[in-house]
Amino acid sequence: MAGLAAGIAVDIPLHPLDTVKTRMQAPEGFLNAGGFRKVWSGLSAVLVVSVPGSAFFFVVYECARHFLERRVPQVLQDEKYAIGRDAVAASVADVSACVVRVPCEVLKQRMQAIGPGTGTPPNFRETVRRVSTEGVRGFFAGFGAMAMREVPFALIQMPLFEELKHRHPWAAQARERGDTGQLGLIGMQAGCVAGSFAGMATTPLDVAKTRIILTESRAERRGLIGTMGAIRAECGMAGLFKGLL
């Protein structure tokens, strides 16, 4: 339930910013992908798939974390190795969650890139129909690219998140008093810093993932390295950091 609540708290309020980022990274450019029009496009895909996917991530993360705490050799159970255990657990959870996240990302981003016209953007049902013309594989376009982006993201985000929570100046006092409100505030601050840093570090991978997903023709779709090379050839190194700010 906590993971589900976290997914709702993050994915829904920040959806307009995510739409803007997708359009900035689209191959046709920000304005031609829709600009600031209808920034809530794709929210239905988030509600149907992404929010449960966030819950799935945290379930797998906590299970993997507790498994590693119990099963690793005694010498590795020292607190100084906690950051490594958190990194492994986060990587396992993120790759597992890609099974849910990638179909959502395909549907969401294709609904977000609505084009320059003033017509009605494709709805959820129409987008599912168009993606399904490629079969099940269509819903997993960019799976490899997303997994390659999610692993380093998780390796940076979750260990940093746990470390920031542990070292926060209010943490010891809040744990001693059992102040759940203050602990929640600490977690929010740590998550904001950790997520921002991880997002900045993995922006080139995210740009390539978006380009792959928005390429509807399977014949024109390239792999991660090929897509990054094409973006660099078209826009220079700056093109790999679109949507960073």
Side-chain angles (χ1 to χ4, degrees):
M1 288 302 295
L4 183 62
I8 293 171
V10 173
D11 289 341
I12 296 177
L14 297 182
H15 185 77
L17 293 178
D18 184 68
T19 300
V20 170
K21 184 192 75 168
T22 295
R23 293 172 182 175
M24 291 176 71
Q25 295 175 347
E28 62 267 42
F30 176 66
L31 293 177
N32 287 333
F36 290 106
R37 293 185 302 107
K38 301 185 180 195
V39 293
W40 289 98
S41 297
L43 181 62
S44 53
V46 173
L47 294 174
V48 171
V49 186
S50 183
V51 171
S54 296
F56 182 69
F57 166 81
F58 282 104
V59 168
V60 177
Y61 173 68
E62 290 298 333
C63 288
R65 197 159 160 252
H66 292 148
F67 175 85
L68 290 170
E69 286 174 354
R70 293 193 307 268
R71 299 298 180 92
V72 295
Q74 190 68 33
V75 70
L76 296 178
Q77 291 185 7
D78 192 278
E79 188 62 30
K80 66 183 178 181
Y81 296 114
I83 192 168
R85 296 196 299 270
D86 293 338
V88 172
S91 298
V92 171
D94 255 317
V95 173
S96 301
C98 278
V99 175
V100 179
R101 285 178 178 169
V102 173
C104 167
E105 198 74 1
V106 170
L107 296 170
K108 180 193 72 173
Q109 292 198 315
R110 293 190 185 177
M111 291 173 71
Q112 288 173 326
I114 61 176
T118 56
T120 305
N123 58 33
F124 182 74
R125 181 178 295 181
E126 173 62 18
T127 306
V128 169
R129 188 193 64 76
R130 286 167 56 183
V131 173
S132 65
T133 59
E134 201 179 317
V136 175
R137 294 184 65 169
F139 292 96
F140 290 91
F143 182 89
M146 188 158 180
M148 289 296 290
R149 182 257 183 188
E150 291 296 316
V151 169
F153 186 94
L155 285 172
I156 297 169
Q157 182 194 36
M158 296 310 293
L160 183 58
F161 170 66
E162 298 290 351
E163 194 69 12
L164 288 172
K165 279 200 309 179
H166 180 71
R167 294 182 179 275
H168 196 286
W170 303 342
Q173 185 181 33
R175 282 195 295 267
E176 186 178 327
R177 294 192 328 222
D179 189 336
T180 55
Q182 193 169 38
L183 287 171
L185 183 60
I186 291 168
M188 186 169 62
Q189 292 172 351
C192 181
V193 174
S196 298
F197 190 77
M200 287 189 291
T202 57
T203 295
L205 297 170
D206 189 58
V207 173
K209 179 265 299 177
T210 298
R211 175 73 66 95
I212 292 169
I213 286 175
L214 294 181
T215 303
E216 296 193 22
S217 171
R218 185 176 166 191
E220 297 176 8
R221 207 176 292 143
R222 307 183 187 188
L224 177 63
I225 302 301
T227 301
M228 292 179 73
I231 294 170
R232 185 173 179 276
E234 292 170 16
C235 312
M237 287 298 295
L240 292 170
F241 289 90
K242 288 181 179 179
L244 177 62
L245 299 176

Coordinates of all heavy atoms in Angstrom, one line a residue, residues 109-191:
Q109 N 3.9 7.7 -23.5 CA 4.7 8.7 -24.3 C 4.1 8.9 -25.7 O 4.1 10.0 -26.3 CB 6.1 8.2 -24.4 CG 6.8 8.3 -23.0 CD 8.3 8.3 -23.2 OE1 8.9 7.5 -23.9 NE2 9.0 9.2 -22.4
R110 N 3.4 7.8 -26.3 CA 2.8 8.0 -27.6 C 1.5 8.9 -27.5 O 1.1 9.5 -28.4 CB 2.6 6.7 -28.2 CG 3.9 6.0 -28.6 CD 3.7 4.8 -29.5 NE 4.9 4.1 -29.7 CZ 5.1 3.0 -30.4 NH1 4.0 2.4 -30.9 NH2 6.3 2.4 -30.5
M111 N 0.9 8.8 -26.3 CA -0.2 9.7 -26.1 C 0.2 11.2 -25.8 O -0.5 12.1 -26.1 CB -1.1 9.2 -24.9 CG -1.8 7.9 -25.2 SD -2.6 7.2 -23.7 CE -4.0 8.4 -23.5
Q112 N 1.4 11.3 -25.2 CA 1.9 12.6 -24.8 C 2.4 13.4 -26.1 O 2.2 14.6 -26.1 CB 3.1 12.5 -23.8 CG 2.7 12.1 -22.4 CD 3.8 11.8 -21.5 OE1 4.9 11.3 -22.0 NE2 3.7 12.1 -20.3
A113 N 3.0 12.7 -27.0 CA 3.5 13.3 -28.3 C 2.4 13.5 -29.2 O 2.2 12.7 -30.2 CB 4.7 12.5 -28.9
I114 N 1.6 14.5 -29.0 CA 0.3 14.7 -29.8 C 0.4 15.4 -31.1 O -0.5 15.4 -31.9 CB -0.8 15.4 -28.9 CG1 -0.3 16.8 -28.6 CG2 -1.1 14.6 -27.7 CD1 -1.3 17.7 -27.9
G115 N 1.6 15.9 -31.4 CA 1.8 16.6 -32.7 C 1.4 18.0 -32.7 O 0.9 18.5 -31.7
P116 N 1.7 18.8 -33.7 CA 1.5 20.2 -33.7 C 0.1 20.7 -34.0 O -0.3 21.9 -33.8 CB 2.4 20.7 -34.9 CG 2.4 19.5 -35.9 CD 2.3 18.3 -35.0
G117 N -0.8 19.8 -34.5 CA -2.2 20.2 -34.8 C -3.0 20.5 -33.6 O -2.6 20.4 -32.5
T118 N -4.2 20.9 -33.9 CA -5.2 21.3 -32.9 C -6.3 20.2 -32.7 O -7.2 20.4 -32.0 CB -5.9 22.6 -33.2 OG1 -6.5 22.5 -34.5 CG2 -4.9 23.8 -33.2
G119 N -6.1 19.1 -33.4 CA -7.0 18.0 -33.3 C -7.0 17.3 -31.9 O -6.2 17.6 -31.1
T120 N -7.9 16.4 -31.8 CA -8.0 15.6 -30.5 C -6.8 14.6 -30.4 O -6.6 13.8 -31.4 CB -9.3 14.8 -30.4 OG1 -10.4 15.8 -30.6 CG2 -9.4 14.1 -29.1
P121 N -6.1 14.6 -29.3 CA -5.0 13.6 -29.2 C -5.5 12.2 -29.1 O -6.7 12.0 -28.7 CB -4.3 14.1 -27.9 CG -5.3 14.8 -27.1 CD -6.2 15.5 -28.2
P122 N -4.7 11.2 -29.4 CA -5.2 9.8 -29.4 C -5.6 9.5 -27.9 O -4.9 9.8 -27.0 CB -4.0 9.0 -29.9 CG -2.9 9.9 -29.7 CD -3.3 11.3 -29.9
N123 N -6.7 8.8 -27.8 CA -7.1 8.4 -26.4 C -6.4 7.0 -26.1 O -5.7 6.5 -26.9 CB -8.6 8.3 -26.3 CG -9.2 7.3 -27.3 OD1 -8.6 6.3 -27.7 ND2 -10.5 7.6 -27.7
F124 N -6.7 6.5 -24.9 CA -6.0 5.3 -24.4 C -6.4 4.1 -25.3 O -5.5 3.4 -25.7 CB -6.4 5.0 -23.0 CG -5.8 3.8 -22.4 CD1 -4.5 3.9 -22.0 CD2 -6.5 2.7 -22.2 CE1 -3.8 2.8 -21.4 CE2 -5.9 1.5 -21.6 CZ -4.6 1.6 -21.2
R125 N -7.6 4.0 -25.6 CA -8.1 2.8 -26.4 C -7.4 2.8 -27.8 O -7.0 1.8 -28.3 CB -9.6 2.8 -26.5 CG -10.1 1.6 -27.3 CD -11.6 1.6 -27.4 NE -12.2 1.3 -26.1 CZ -13.5 1.3 -25.8 NH1 -14.4 1.4 -26.8 NH2 -13.9 1.0 -24.6
E126 N -7.4 4.0 -28.5 CA -6.9 4.2 -29.8 C -5.4 3.9 -29.8 O -4.8 3.3 -30.7 CB -7.1 5.6 -30.3 CG -6.5 5.9 -31.6 CD -6.9 5.0 -32.8 OE1 -8.0 4.4 -32.7 OE2 -6.2 5.0 -33.8
T127 N -4.7 4.3 -28.7 CA -3.2 4.1 -28.6 C -2.9 2.6 -28.5 O -2.0 2.1 -29.1 CB -2.6 4.9 -27.5 OG1 -3.0 6.3 -27.6 CG2 -1.1 4.8 -27.5
V128 N -3.7 2.0 -27.6 CA -3.6 0.5 -27.5 C -3.8 -0.2 -28.8 O -3.0 -1.1 -29.1 CB -4.6 0.0 -26.4 CG1 -4.6 -1.6 -26.4 CG2 -4.2 0.5 -25.0
R129 N -4.8 0.2 -29.6 CA -5.0 -0.4 -30.9 C -3.9 -0.2 -31.8 O -3.4 -1.2 -32.5 CB -6.3 0.2 -31.5 CG -6.8 -0.6 -32.7 CD -7.8 0.2 -33.5 NE -7.3 1.5 -34.0 CZ -6.5 1.6 -35.1 NH1 -6.1 0.5 -35.7 NH2 -6.1 2.8 -35.5
R130 N -3.3 1.0 -31.8 CA -2.2 1.2 -32.8 C -0.9 0.5 -32.3 O -0.2 -0.1 -33.2 CB -1.9 2.7 -32.8 CG -3.0 3.5 -33.6 CD -2.9 5.0 -33.4 NE -1.5 5.6 -33.7 CZ -1.2 6.8 -33.5 NH1 -2.1 7.7 -33.0 NH2 0.0 7.3 -33.8
V131 N -0.7 0.4 -31.1 CA 0.5 -0.3 -30.6 C 0.4 -1.8 -30.8 O 1.3 -2.5 -31.2 CB 0.8 0.0 -29.1 CG1 1.9 -0.9 -28.6 CG2 1.1 1.4 -28.9
S132 N -0.8 -2.3 -30.7 CA -1.1 -3.8 -30.8 C -0.9 -4.3 -32.3 O -0.9 -5.5 -32.5 CB -2.5 -4.1 -30.3 OG -3.5 -3.5 -31.1
T133 N -0.9 -3.3 -33.2 CA -0.7 -3.8 -34.6 C 0.7 -4.4 -34.8 O 0.9 -5.2 -35.8 CB -0.8 -2.6 -35.6 OG1 0.2 -1.6 -35.3 CG2 -2.2 -2.0 -35.6
E134 N 1.6 -4.2 -33.9 CA 2.9 -4.8 -33.9 C 2.9 -6.1 -33.0 O 4.0 -6.7 -32.9 CB 3.9 -3.8 -33.4 CG 5.4 -4.1 -33.8 CD 6.3 -3.0 -33.3 OE1 6.0 -1.8 -33.3 OE2 7.4 -3.4 -32.8
G135 N 1.8 -6.4 -32.5 CA 1.7 -7.6 -31.6 C 2.2 -7.2 -30.2 O 2.4 -6.1 -29.9
V136 N 2.4 -8.2 -29.4 CA 2.9 -8.0 -28.0 C 4.2 -7.3 -28.0 O 4.4 -6.4 -27.1 CB 3.0 -9.4 -27.3 CG1 3.6 -9.2 -25.9 CG2 1.6 -10.1 -27.2
R137 N 5.0 -7.5 -28.9 CA 6.3 -6.8 -29.0 C 6.2 -5.3 -29.0 O 7.1 -4.6 -28.6 CB 7.2 -7.3 -30.2 CG 7.6 -8.8 -30.1 CD 8.4 -9.2 -31.2 NE 9.7 -8.5 -31.2 CZ 10.7 -8.9 -32.0 NH1 10.6 -9.9 -32.8 NH2 11.9 -8.2 -31.9
G138 N 5.1 -4.9 -29.6 CA 4.9 -3.4 -29.7 C 4.8 -2.7 -28.4 O 5.3 -1.6 -28.2
F139 N 4.3 -3.5 -27.4 CA 4.1 -2.9 -26.0 C 5.5 -2.9 -25.3 O 5.6 -2.3 -24.2 CB 3.1 -3.7 -25.2 CG 1.7 -3.5 -25.8 CD1 1.1 -4.4 -26.6 CD2 0.9 -2.4 -25.4 CE1 -0.1 -4.3 -27.1 CE2 -0.4 -2.2 -25.9 CZ -0.9 -3.2 -26.8
F140 N 6.5 -3.6 -25.8 CA 7.8 -3.7 -25.2 C 8.9 -3.0 -26.0 O 10.0 -3.3 -25.8 CB 8.1 -5.1 -24.8 CG 7.3 -5.7 -23.8 CD1 6.1 -6.4 -24.0 CD2 7.6 -5.5 -22.4 CE1 5.3 -6.9 -23.0 CE2 6.8 -6.1 -21.4 CZ 5.6 -6.7 -21.7
A141 N 8.4 -2.1 -26.9 CA 9.4 -1.3 -27.6 C 10.3 -0.5 -26.7 O 9.8 0.2 -25.8 CB 8.7 -0.4 -28.6
G142 N 11.6 -0.6 -26.8 CA 12.5 0.1 -25.9 C 12.7 -0.6 -24.6 O 13.2 0.0 -23.6
F143 N 12.3 -1.9 -24.4 CA 12.5 -2.6 -23.2 C 14.0 -2.6 -22.7 O 14.3 -2.3 -21.6 CB 12.0 -4.0 -23.3 CG 12.1 -4.8 -22.0 CD1 11.0 -4.7 -21.0 CD2 13.2 -5.5 -21.6 CE1 11.1 -5.4 -19.8 CE2 13.3 -6.2 -20.4 CZ 12.3 -6.2 -19.5
G144 N 14.9 -2.9 -23.7 CA 16.3 -3.0 -23.3 C 16.8 -1.6 -22.9 O 17.6 -1.5 -22.0
A145 N 16.4 -0.6 -23.7 CA 16.9 0.8 -23.4 C 16.4 1.2 -22.0 O 17.1 1.8 -21.2 CB 16.4 1.7 -24.4
M146 N 15.1 0.9 -21.7 CA 14.6 1.3 -20.4 C 15.3 0.5 -19.3 O 15.6 1.1 -18.2 CB 13.1 1.0 -20.4 CG 12.5 1.7 -19.1 SD 10.7 2.0 -19.3 CE 10.3 2.7 -17.7
A147 N 15.5 -0.8 -19.4 CA 16.2 -1.5 -18.4 C 17.6 -1.0 -18.2 O 18.1 -0.9 -17.1 CB 16.3 -3.0 -18.8
M148 N 18.3 -0.6 -19.3 CA 19.7 -0.1 -19.2 C 19.7 1.3 -18.5 O 20.7 1.7 -17.9 CB 20.3 0.0 -20.6 CG 20.6 -1.3 -21.2 SD 21.9 -2.2 -20.3 CE 23.3 -1.1 -20.7
R149 N 18.6 2.0 -18.6 CA 18.4 3.3 -17.9 C 18.1 3.1 -16.5 O 18.5 3.8 -15.6 CB 17.4 4.1 -18.7 CG 17.2 5.5 -18.1 CD 16.0 5.6 -17.2 NE 15.8 7.0 -16.7 CZ 14.8 7.3 -15.8 NH1 14.0 6.4 -15.4 NH2 14.7 8.5 -15.4
E150 N 17.2 2.1 -16.2 CA 16.7 1.9 -14.9 C 17.7 1.4 -13.9 O 17.7 1.8 -12.7 CB 15.5 1.0 -14.9 CG 14.2 1.5 -15.6 CD 13.6 2.7 -14.8 OE1 13.5 2.7 -13.6 OE2 13.3 3.7 -15.5
V151 N 18.6 0.5 -14.4 CA 19.6 0.0 -13.5 C 20.6 1.0 -12.9 O 20.7 1.1 -11.7 CB 20.4 -1.2 -14.2 CG1 21.6 -1.6 -13.3 CG2 19.5 -2.4 -14.4
P152 N 21.2 1.8 -13.8 CA 22.1 2.9 -13.2 C 21.3 3.9 -12.4 O 21.7 4.4 -11.4 CB 22.7 3.6 -14.4 CG 22.0 3.1 -15.6 CD 21.4 1.8 -15.2
F153 N 20.0 4.2 -12.8 CA 19.2 5.1 -12.0 C 19.0 4.5 -10.6 O 19.1 5.3 -9.6 CB 17.8 5.3 -12.7 CG 16.9 6.3 -12.1 CD1 16.9 7.6 -12.5 CD2 16.1 5.9 -11.0 CE1 16.1 8.5 -12.0 CE2 15.2 6.9 -10.5 CZ 15.2 8.2 -10.9
A154 N 18.6 3.2 -10.5 CA 18.4 2.6 -9.2 C 19.7 2.5 -8.4 O 19.7 2.7 -7.2 CB 17.8 1.2 -9.4
L155 N 20.8 2.2 -9.1 CA 22.1 2.1 -8.4 C 22.5 3.4 -7.7 O 23.2 3.5 -6.7 CB 23.2 1.7 -9.4 CG 23.2 0.2 -9.8 CD1 24.2 0.0 -10.9 CD2 23.5 -0.7 -8.6
I156 N 22.0 4.5 -8.3 CA 22.3 5.9 -7.8 C 21.3 6.3 -6.8 O 21.6 6.7 -5.6 CB 22.4 6.9 -8.9 CG1 23.6 6.6 -9.8 CG2 22.6 8.3 -8.3 CD1 23.6 7.4 -11.1
Q157 N 20.0 6.1 -7.2 CA 18.9 6.7 -6.4 C 18.7 6.0 -5.0 O 18.7 6.7 -4.0 CB 17.6 6.6 -7.2 CG 16.4 7.2 -6.4 CD 15.1 6.9 -7.0 OE1 14.9 5.8 -7.5 NE2 14.1 7.8 -7.0
M158 N 18.5 4.7 -5.0 CA 18.1 4.1 -3.8 C 19.2 4.0 -2.7 O 18.9 4.4 -1.5 CB 17.5 2.7 -4.0 CG 16.3 2.7 -4.9 SD 15.0 3.8 -4.3 CE 14.5 3.0 -2.8
P159 N 20.4 3.7 -3.0 CA 21.5 3.8 -2.0 C 21.6 5.2 -1.4 O 21.8 5.4 -0.2 CB 22.7 3.3 -2.7 CG 22.2 2.5 -3.8 CD 21.0 3.1 -4.3
L160 N 21.6 6.2 -2.4 CA 21.7 7.6 -1.9 C 20.5 8.0 -1.1 O 20.7 8.7 0.0 CB 21.8 8.5 -3.2 CG 22.0 10.0 -2.9 CD1 23.2 10.3 -2.1 CD2 22.0 10.8 -4.3
F161 N 19.3 7.5 -1.4 CA 18.1 7.8 -0.7 C 18.2 7.2 0.8 O 18.0 7.9 1.7 CB 16.9 7.2 -1.4 CG 15.6 7.1 -0.6 CD1 15.0 8.3 -0.3 CD2 15.1 5.9 -0.2 CE1 13.8 8.3 0.5 CE2 13.9 5.9 0.5 CZ 13.2 7.1 0.9
E162 N 18.7 6.0 0.9 CA 18.8 5.3 2.2 C 19.9 6.0 3.0 O 19.7 6.3 4.2 CB 19.1 3.9 2.0 CG 18.1 3.0 1.3 CD 16.8 2.8 2.1 OE1 16.8 3.2 3.3 OE2 15.8 2.3 1.6
E163 N 21.0 6.4 2.3 CA 22.1 7.1 3.1 C 21.7 8.5 3.5 O 22.0 8.9 4.7 CB 23.3 7.2 2.1 CG 24.6 7.5 2.8 CD 25.1 6.4 3.7 OE1 24.6 5.3 3.6 OE2 26.0 6.7 4.5
L164 N 21.0 9.2 2.7 CA 20.5 10.6 3.1 C 19.5 10.5 4.2 O 19.5 11.3 5.1 CB 19.9 11.3 1.9 CG 20.8 11.7 0.8 CD1 20.1 12.2 -0.4 CD2 21.8 12.8 1.3
K165 N 18.6 9.5 4.2 CA 17.7 9.3 5.3 C 18.4 9.0 6.6 O 18.1 9.6 7.7 CB 16.7 8.1 5.0 CG 15.6 8.5 4.1 CD 14.4 7.5 4.2 CE 14.9 6.0 4.1 NZ 13.8 5.1 4.3
H166 N 19.4 8.2 6.5 CA 20.2 7.8 7.7 C 21.0 8.9 8.3 O 21.1 9.1 9.5 CB 21.1 6.6 7.3 CG 21.9 6.1 8.5 ND1 21.4 5.4 9.5 CD2 23.3 6.2 8.7 CE1 22.3 5.1 10.4 NE2 23.5 5.6 9.9
R167 N 21.6 9.8 7.4 CA 22.4 10.8 7.8 C 21.7 12.2 8.0 O 22.4 13.2 8.4 CB 23.6 11.0 6.8 CG 24.5 9.8 6.8 CD 25.7 10.0 5.8 NE 26.6 8.9 5.8 CZ 27.6 8.7 6.7 NH1 27.8 9.6 7.6 NH2 28.4 7.6 6.6
H168 N 20.5 12.2 7.8 CA 19.7 13.5 7.9 C 19.8 14.0 9.4 O 19.8 13.2 10.3 CB 18.2 13.3 7.6 CG 17.5 14.5 7.4 ND1 17.1 15.4 8.4 CD2 17.0 15.1 6.2 CE1 16.4 16.4 7.9 NE2 16.4 16.2 6.6
P169 N 20.1 15.3 9.6 CA 20.3 15.8 10.9 C 19.1 15.6 11.9 O 19.2 15.6 13.1 CB 20.5 17.3 10.7 CG 20.1 17.6 9.3 CD 20.2 16.3 8.6
W170 N 17.9 15.4 11.3 CA 16.7 15.2 12.2 C 16.4 13.7 12.4 O 15.6 13.3 13.2 CB 15.5 15.7 11.5 CG 15.5 17.2 11.2 CD1 16.4 18.1 11.7 CD2 14.7 17.9 10.3 NE1 16.1 19.4 11.2 CE2 15.1 19.3 10.4 CE3 13.6 17.5 9.5 CZ2 14.4 20.3 9.6 CZ3 12.9 18.5 8.8 CH2 13.4 19.9 8.8
A171 N 17.2 12.8 11.7 CA 16.8 11.4 11.7 C 16.8 10.7 13.0 O 15.9 10.0 13.4 CB 17.7 10.6 10.7
A172 N 17.9 10.9 13.8 CA 18.1 10.2 15.0 C 17.0 10.6 16.0 O 16.4 9.7 16.7 CB 19.5 10.5 15.6
Q173 N 16.7 11.9 16.1 CA 15.7 12.4 17.0 C 14.3 11.9 16.6 O 13.5 11.5 17.5 CB 15.8 13.9 17.1 CG 14.8 14.5 18.1 CD 14.9 16.0 18.1 OE1 15.1 16.6 17.0 NE2 14.7 16.6 19.2
A174 N 14.0 11.9 15.3 CA 12.7 11.5 14.8 C 12.5 10.0 15.1 O 11.4 9.5 15.5 CB 12.6 11.7 13.4
R175 N 13.6 9.1 14.9 CA 13.4 7.7 15.2 C 13.3 7.4 16.6 O 12.5 6.5 17.0 CB 14.7 7.0 14.6 CG 14.6 6.7 13.1 CD 15.7 5.7 12.7 NE 17.0 6.2 13.0 CZ 17.8 6.8 12.1 NH1 17.3 7.1 10.9 NH2 19.0 7.2 12.4
E176 N 14.0 8.2 17.5 CA 13.9 8.0 18.9 C 12.5 8.3 19.4 O 12.0 7.6 20.3 CB 14.9 8.9 19.6 CG 15.1 8.7 21.1 CD 16.2 9.5 21.7 OE1 17.2 9.8 21.0 OE2 16.0 9.9 22.9
R177 N 11.9 9.4 18.9 CA 10.6 9.8 19.3 C 9.5 9.0 18.6 O 8.3 9.1 19.0 CB 10.4 11.3 19.1 CG 11.3 12.1 19.9 CD 10.8 13.6 19.9 NE 10.3 14.0 18.6 CZ 10.5 15.1 18.0 NH1 11.4 16.0 18.5 NH2 9.9 15.4 16.9
G178 N 9.8 8.3 17.5 CA 8.8 7.6 16.7 C 7.9 8.6 16.0 O 6.7 8.3 15.8
D179 N 8.4 9.7 15.6 CA 7.7 10.8 14.9 C 7.5 10.4 13.5 O 8.4 10.7 12.6 CB 8.4 12.1 15.1 CG 7.5 13.3 14.7 OD1 6.6 13.1 13.8 OD2 7.8 14.4 15.1
T180 N 6.4 9.8 13.1 CA 6.2 9.4 11.7 C 6.0 10.5 10.8 O 6.4 10.4 9.6 CB 4.9 8.5 11.6 OG1 3.8 9.2 12.2 CG2 5.1 7.2 12.4
G181 N 5.5 11.7 11.2 CA 5.4 12.8 10.4 C 6.7 13.4 10.0 O 7.0 13.7 8.8
Q182 N 7.6 13.5 11.0 CA 9.0 14.0 10.7 C 9.7 13.0 9.8 O 10.5 13.4 8.9 CB 9.7 14.3 12.0 CG 11.0 15.1 11.7 CD 11.5 15.7 13.0 OE1 11.5 14.9 14.1 NE2 12.1 16.9 13.0
L183 N 9.6 11.7 10.1 CA 10.3 10.7 9.3 C 9.8 10.7 7.9 O 10.6 10.6 6.9 CB 10.0 9.3 9.9 CG 10.7 9.0 11.2 CD1 10.2 7.7 11.8 CD2 12.2 8.9 11.0
G184 N 8.5 11.0 7.7 CA 8.0 11.1 6.3 C 8.6 12.3 5.6 O 8.9 12.3 4.4
L185 N 8.7 13.4 6.3 CA 9.3 14.6 5.7 C 10.8 14.4 5.4 O 11.3 14.8 4.3 CB 9.2 15.8 6.7 CG 9.7 17.2 6.3 CD1 9.0 17.6 5.0 CD2 9.6 18.2 7.4
I186 N 11.5 13.7 6.2 CA 12.9 13.3 6.0 C 13.0 12.5 4.7 O 13.8 12.7 3.8 CB 13.5 12.6 7.2 CG1 13.7 13.5 8.4 CG2 14.8 11.9 6.8 CD1 14.0 12.8 9.7
G187 N 12.1 11.5 4.6 CA 12.1 10.6 3.4 C 11.8 11.4 2.2 O 12.3 11.1 1.1
M188 N 10.9 12.4 2.3 CA 10.5 13.2 1.1 C 11.7 14.0 0.6 O 12.0 14.1 -0.6 CB 9.3 14.1 1.4 CG 8.8 14.9 0.3 SD 7.2 15.7 0.6 CE 7.7 16.8 2.0
Q189 N 12.4 14.6 1.6 CA 13.6 15.4 1.2 C 14.7 14.6 0.6 O 15.3 14.9 -0.4 CB 14.1 16.1 2.5 CG 13.1 17.2 3.0 CD 13.6 17.8 4.4 OE1 14.5 17.2 5.0 NE2 12.9 18.8 4.8
A190 N 14.9 13.4 1.3 CA 16.0 12.5 0.7 C 15.6 12.0 -0.6 O 16.5 11.9 -1.5 CB 16.1 11.3 1.7
G191 N 14.3 11.6 -0.8 CA 13.9 11.2 -2.1 C 14.0 12.2 -3.2 O 14.4 11.9 -4.4

